[in-house]
Amino acid sequence: PNGNGLCSLAELETFVLKALLAKFPNAGKGKELKTPGQDMFKAFRPCYIRAFKDAADYAKDDGKTIKGTKSAKQDDFVDKSEFRLFCVYVCIYASMFDAFSKIDGGGAGRDANDDKRIELDEWLKGYKGVNDHGFVAFQGISTKGDATTIFKMMDDNGGGIVLLDEWSFFLKNCEVAAGTPMGKLLNEDQEGGVGKKEQLFGSTMGGLKRSTTKEPEFHLSNGYASEIQINDKPAKQKPELPSSKPSGTKI
């Protein structure tokens, strides 16, 4: 709105809110007032900052302080070249959050049981309900043993619970490592951008030490990411989202 060619998180949240209100306008009056657009905006608000940060990391940051600010740099905003990615990332992270919310609290809508964290028993009860969300990490999980392995991989600090950040980070990394169309979008980075500097899988995952000096390889058993090993050789060309789940397939 100020015409400086850069959008802050607050400005982009306003953009999302206006788009939702236009698509899902208020209806009724008084006690009968329904606000579906605003309700949807509030429900999915945790997604916007993740989409914003990922998009803002795309373009090269020259390190200069933005005029009119005290210390803000290019990567503190989304510019015109990053706006398309922001819109894409909002949709992707909203789908991740939708899957997360379906398991958190048992999936019975928003109630007192929704504490923005997933415990192992919640995951074991609800993992089958997120297989259709389109994420490669959840494809073909057929037993509670499989599901427990995935949970431990998501639980990056071994705390026994999975937070939305851990959930989203794990799903993103699986898509990137598998070379899926979604992963390629999430890994977009202009030359000089900082997005790809983020170390996939970190130094540890689920209490298992991981090396970050070599490219991770997924070993899928019935289509799910049962373990991550490290290749000594350059990775071969990775396929698109698998349409089948052959045992022992490597991505």
Side-chain angles (χ1 to χ4, degrees), residues 112-157:
N113 293 319
D114 294 332
D115 53 6
K116 298 181 181 179
R117 60 181 65 187
I118 294 176
E119 298 179 4
L120 179 58
D121 62 334
E122 290 179 310
W123 169 244
L124 293 178
K125 291 176 182 177
Y127 71 87
K128 292 182 180 179
V130 298
N131 287 344
D132 60 352
H133 274 66
F135 298 110
V136 69
F138 298 154
Q139 291 184 2
I141 305 177
S142 57
T143 69
K144 288 188 176 181
D146 297 345
T148 300
T149 298
I150 295 295
F151 183 87
K152 290 179 179 179
M153 294 170 70
M154 287 190 290
D155 182 14
D156 186 54
N157 61 5

Side-chain angles (χ1 to χ4, degrees), residues 7 10 26 32 44-46 62 91 94 104 119 151 162 165 170 188 200 203-204 207 211 218 221 228 237:
C7 287
N26 295 347
E32 301 299 322
F44 284 91
R45 197 166 190 177
D62 58 15
C91 296
D104 180 26
E119 298 179 4
F151 183 87
V162 173
D165 279 350
F170 178 75
E188 281 285 343
L200 298 185
S203 59
T204 62
S211 168
F218 278 89
S221 173
I228 300 173
Q237 185 176 2

